[in-house]
Amino acid sequence: MDNKVFLFPLNNSLLFRKVTLPYHIFESRYRKMVKDAIEMQMPIGVVPFSLENDYEDVICVAGIPHILTTYADGRMDIYITGAIKCKLTEFDQENPYKIYYYKTLDEDMFVDDVLEYEIEALRGLLERWASHFLQDINQRRNFSLTLDDPEVLVNYCAVFLLDDIEMKKQVMEADSMEGKIQIILKAVGPKEIPLGPFMPTLRF
């Protein structure tokens, strides 16, 4: 079953490369999917739920799940770290969860001098986010250490600083570091609102 991925459709959810996200699994088919993925070492791709139930040509990030807790009724808490970015190419089967063929997508993660300046600006925003939402000083310290990897930093910006799922999707799908940063800065950067011909421009 080379080049196949198990599919986990979720409302307003995406996975990013090198980012670890938690999931609570309660449906029996997805509990089986997690167990099968671990046993077979097959990645699970997280995609936003589609009413059309067709995921061909969808771009997603996938990774091998890890179980944190299993409850008496079979529910489980898991985490998945994004490992591969892939494009779903062809439906394979649904028994009882969807399986798709995929091709791996490459990205240009080169960081030049200009991008280093913008990455530091994004680091500052994430550090401010951490100071508000991570109360434990050790958590903040460990989180800060992960930001030494520019790809991790940029992807964490998408996860924590962007609320709109479509904007997150644009960042995930962008194939270069420059493209990802431009999308994020457009979403979270300074805004200007003209108040009229005789009024100053409001900046924030």
Side-chain angles (χ1 to χ4, degrees):
M1 292 182 67
D2 291 341
N3 295 324
K4 291 183 182 181
V5 63
F6 299 154
L7 218 57
F8 191 23
L10 287 172
N11 283 328
N12 299 321
S13 186
L14 289 170
L15 190 61
F16 290 81
R17 271 176 36 88
K18 299 185 180 181
V19 168
T20 299
L21 293 178
Y23 299 95
H24 180 68
I25 310 298
F26 55 90
E27 287 189 52
S28 60
R29 58 176 168 168
Y30 293 128
R31 298 201 303 261
K32 174 175 170 51
M33 180 184 71
V34 168
K35 293 176 182 177
D36 289 348
I38 293 172
E39 180 180 347
M40 303 167 66
Q41 286 299 286
M42 292 282 293
I44 290 177
V46 180
V47 296
F49 176 77
S50 167
L51 291 175
E52 291 78 18
N53 206 28
D54 179 12
Y55 298 92
E56 189 171 320
D57 294 329
V58 167
I59 295 173
C60 67
V61 171
I64 303 296
H66 298 268
I67 298 175
L68 290 170
T69 306
T70 300
Y71 299 92
D73 60 2
R75 293 177 300 117
M76 58 181 72
D77 294 326
I78 71 168
Y79 69 87
I80 305 176
T81 300
I84 54 171
K85 181 177 175 180
C86 52
K87 182 175 183 179
L88 306 179
T89 56
E90 183 182 351
F91 175 71
D92 178 48
Q93 61 174 296
E94 184 167 6
N95 186 27
Y97 47 81
K98 291 183 182 297
I99 302 175
Y100 270 78
Y101 290 94
Y102 73 88
K103 68 175 182 180
T104 303
L105 299 179
D106 295 324
E107 297 182 327
D108 177 9
M109 293 291 101
F110 176 72
V111 177
D112 61 19
D113 292 341
V114 174
L115 290 184
E116 285 183 0
Y117 174 81
E118 294 174 337
I119 284 172
E120 282 307 307
L122 291 177
R123 176 191 284 272
L125 291 175
L126 272 181
E127 297 283 6
R128 287 169 57 189
W129 174 88
S131 68
H132 287 286
F133 292 97
L134 299 180
Q135 301 302 318
D136 184 85
I137 188 171
N138 290 321
Q139 280 186 310
R140 292 199 299 272
R141 184 180 297 114
N142 291 334
F143 178 75
S144 181
L145 290 175
T146 67
L147 304 183
D148 291 339
D149 182 330
E151 184 178 3
V152 172
L153 186 151
V154 167
N155 287 339
Y156 270 138
C157 282
V159 171
F160 296 126
L161 303 183
L162 302 184
D163 295 323
D164 183 72
I165 187 65
E166 287 302 318
M167 195 70 71
K168 290 185 179 186
K169 186 169 178 283
Q170 289 180 34
V171 175
M172 184 271 290
E173 291 183 348
D175 60 5
S176 70
M177 181 68 80
E178 180 179 7
K180 293 176 186 292
I181 290 174
Q182 288 177 351
I183 295 167
I184 294 171
L185 288 178
K186 182 178 179 181
V188 303
K191 306 282 192 307
E192 294 187 356
I193 300 178
L195 301 177
F198 305 108
M199 298 289 288
T201 298
L202 179 63
R203 294 180 174 86
F204 63 96

